[in-house]
Amino acid sequence: MKIKVLSCILDIENYKCLDMEYFDGLELNRVKKINDKLEIKLQKGLDNFLEEFSTEKGDKYPYHGMWDMEEAKWRLRSGNFLFWILEYQDEIVGWQWDVLGKISVYLNRSNGLVYSPRKKNEFIFIKDIFIDDNEIFGINFYIDRRYRGNSFSRFLKSYHPELLGQMGYKKLLWHTEKWNHSALSMLHKTEGISCTTKLLKINKEK
């Protein structure tokens, strides 16, 4: 079995978002630790995600392998992840995780990809990806369905690379699966992104 993905590289120094818009009151913040107040807001955002993707609806399939609160805390303790939340009117309406150094790619039960999970025994291992110290790998990009297709997405795709550049990173890498039309649309009206199609070979025998 093979999965076709679009392997993308964003050159931070040369990247431009040509349709950038700022929405008043919208903020992108890095999370280093999850306190009690943030946990309540974050759980509400996770509940909104699960409501949309946990049951089959139209062309969407139940998603297996979504991070939960325990995994989020584990990721932050490990020091191998960066976590960004998109906030609007005191509500978390999106997020982005980034992985450092080594990225382990797995297959979930819905035939999608999961990256460096805590509960590895729930998934089928595909491969490890090793990146340079000045590179970072993006995963779990999400915008609440109420705010997709407007300035929220454009703000995140513009400001996230800018913040990474301020931290000294040169390249942002990620995979886009062919079903993910929202992620594919994020490539529109940008400069400095190169993409190639790759086939990931999967051995389903554990």
Side-chain angles (χ1 to χ4, degrees), residues 1 5 14 29 39 53 63 72 81 90 96 112-113 120-121 129-130 136 144-145 149 157 164 168 179-180 187:
M1 178 181 174
V5 298
N14 296 311
N29 298 307
E39 182 169 341
F53 290 102
Y63 183 81
F81 294 82
D90 200 37
Q96 167 79 53
L113 299 179
K120 297 177 174 57
N121 61 338
I129 300 172
F130 296 90
I136 197 161
D144 187 292
R145 58 185 165 181
K157 78 176 182 180
L164 292 177
W179 57 265
N180 196 339
L187 301 175

Side-chain angles (χ1 to χ4, degrees), residues 138-152:
I139 64 171
N140 299 141
F141 170 83
Y142 171 74
I143 297 283
D144 187 292
R145 58 185 165 181
R146 294 170 294 167
Y147 301 106
R148 288 178 206 150
N150 60 20
S151 10
F152 285 57

Side-chain angles (χ1 to χ4, degrees), residues 164-184:
L164 292 177
Q166 292 174 10
M167 297 176 68
Y169 293 103
K170 301 297 183 185
K171 292 181 180 179
L172 170 63
L173 298 78
W174 72 94
H175 288 157
T176 298
E177 296 178 70
K178 62 181 182 179
W179 57 265
N180 196 339
H181 303 296
S182 296
L184 289 170

